[in-house]
């Protein structure tokens, strides 16, 4: 009887997504830069970004709401259409995202949609630092391995209009490992 109560208590605790979480994430980014008002031609690059993620969630039963913050950095070059790069062809250094999540609790899984604001930090080939704010949206899924360990995957699209004279978009596929507090 006591063993059954202990197992039930541990199961109930594992099913609650309420609380803070923090960890590491690895993003693979596919980046496209198109000159503002251009003819549809664009520059593209891809590469890895590594960083941290954290947030807080509140479990409402079948649904979960929360806020999230992530910061990833790397060195993703976006070569130009020609043989040389121009100042409008950024090398993405970092992406900072702050957003909200709304999800469905299918314990031990959480499936969610996310939307928010993103800050892109980049460097031109001349070494000029550039940054601009845009929006992001995406979907994700988390798997609760235990009371404290969460593994996740996320597909995010980030868009910034008029970034150094160009429209910037990045689609990232991320994996993460987080500790739940």
């Amino acid at each position: 009887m006591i063993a059954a109560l202990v197992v039930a208590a541990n199961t109930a605790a594992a099913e609650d997504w309420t609380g803070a979480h923090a960890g590491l994430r690895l993003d693979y980014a596919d980046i496209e830069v198109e000159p503002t008002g251009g003819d549809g031609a664009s520059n593209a690059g891809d590469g890895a970004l590594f960083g941290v993620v954290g947030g807080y969630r509140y479990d409402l039963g079948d649904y979960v709401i929360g806020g999230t913050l992530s910061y990833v950095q790397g060195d993703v070059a976006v070569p130009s259409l020609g043989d040389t790069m121009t100042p409008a062809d950024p090398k993405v250094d970092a992406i900072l995202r702050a957003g909200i999540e709304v999800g469905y609790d299918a314990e031990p899984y959480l499936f969610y949609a996310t939307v928010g604001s993103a800050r892109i930090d980049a460097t031109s080939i001349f070494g000029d630092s550039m940054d601009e704010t845009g929006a992001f949206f995406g979907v994700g899924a988390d798997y609760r391995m235990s009371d404290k360990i969460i593994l996740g995957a996320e597909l995010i699209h980030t868009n910034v209009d008029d970034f150094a004279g160009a429209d910037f978009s990045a689609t990232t596929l991320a994996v993460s490992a987080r500790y739940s507090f």
Side-chain angles (χ1 to χ4, degrees):
M1 173 81 160
I2 293 174
L5 290 174
V6 169
V7 168
N10 284 340
T11 302
E15 292 178 2
D16 191 0
W17 291 94
T18 298
H21 56 92
L24 301 174
R25 71 183 281 145
L26 175 64
D27 291 31
Y28 186 79
D30 181 23
I31 298 171
E32 187 173 325
V33 178
E34 180 179 338
T36 303
D39 59 3
S42 63
N43 310 347
D46 54 28
L49 301 159
F50 180 76
V52 295
V53 61
Y56 187 87
R57 291 177 173 150
Y58 187 73
D59 194 326
L60 301 169
D62 286 343
Y63 301 97
V64 176
I65 59 172
T68 184
L69 183 67
S70 68
Y71 177 79
V72 291
Q73 62 183 21
D75 185 11
V76 181
V78 183
S80 70
L81 294 171
D83 293 334
T84 61
M85 292 180 71
T86 66
D89 296 322
K91 173 184 64 125
V92 175
D93 300 317
I95 302 174
L96 173 66
R97 293 186 187 103
I100 58 170
E101 298 174 343
V102 177
Y104 177 71
D105 184 352
E107 197 58 50
Y109 299 97
L110 174 65
F111 302 101
Y112 61 89
T114 184
V115 63
S117 180
R119 183 83 173 171
I120 309 297
D121 294 325
T123 304
S124 76
I125 63 164
F126 300 115
D128 298 328
S129 180
M130 304 179 291
D131 54 64
E132 192 63 58
T133 302
F136 77 88
F137 62 91
V139 294
D142 284 348
Y143 171 69
R144 184 179 290 283
M145 287 189 61
S146 70
D147 246 4
K148 300 293 182 188
I149 304 299
I150 300 170
L151 298 180
E154 211 172 46
L155 180 64
I156 300 287
H157 181 77
T158 303
N159 191 55
V160 179
D161 292 330
D162 199 18
F163 186 100
D167 293 333
F168 172 94
S169 68
T171 301
T172 58
L173 179 61
V175 294
S176 66
R178 285 168 278 149
Y179 184 81
S180 181
F181 299 96

